[in-house]
Amino acid sequence: MNTQTNTALVIRSSLAIALAVAIWAPTNARSAEPAKSKMKMDGKMMMGAQTMTETDMIQRCQAMKAQKDKMAADLKSQDAELTAQVAKMNKATETKKLDMMANVVSQMVEQRIAMDARKTKMEEEMMQHMMQHMQMGKESMAQCPMMKDMDDKSANAPTKHHAEEK
């Protein structure tokens, strides 16, 4: 539950930052014409020398969602492994307990550093991804599986009022 709340907070914060960057970016302060020229009438967006279709964008959305799901599964797996090691450590004799504790702490630190780097990289990719959706229009963002997933989670999340009743 707490992980879902933190993930939703990170995603929403990333979207807010993306929106702020889009609004305050110096390139957007110029005329609106260059931004409109990126979008063609047939649902394609020009990105440098490359044209991105809606199908390409949906595939990128699905890949981003798969990457996010894999990261969540990896985190869950790491937690299960650490839980098993802590259980072994707690049952160990006093002489072995200290060595096992040092191993658990070392592994936790390594995992934390690696996961933080992975999350940072993914947040940057998500920001770019959302910027692409913003360039393609509101309909594009509404079709993104990442946004649908976020909407589903926020719709199912208990409100403060409901939490107080329980």
Side-chain angles (χ1 to χ4, degrees), residues 75-108:
L75 187 59
K76 200 174 209 178
S77 173
Q78 288 176 354
D79 287 347
E81 184 181 328
L82 285 171
T83 300
Q85 286 182 10
V86 168
K88 275 173 113 175
M89 178 188 72
N90 288 335
K91 292 177 183 176
T93 62
E94 291 299 316
T95 56
K96 291 184 180 181
K97 202 174 261 193
L98 189 58
D99 286 340
M100 293 177 89
M101 188 183 305
N103 287 336
V104 167
V105 170
S106 295
Q107 187 173 359
M108 287 173 66

Side-chain angles (χ1 to χ4, degrees), residues 42-61:
D42 60 357
K44 294 180 180 177
M45 182 176 70
M46 295 300 292
M47 297 184 61
Q50 181 178 22
T51 302
M52 181 175 286
T53 64
E54 289 179 34
T55 305
D56 294 335
M57 194 65 178
I58 290 170
Q59 288 174 345
R60 291 185 79 178
C61 292

Side-chain angles (χ1 to χ4, degrees), residues 24-38:
W24 290 316
T27 56
N28 288 342
R30 297 179 194 149
S31 76
E33 281 305 309
K36 288 181 181 177
S37 68
K38 289 182 178 180

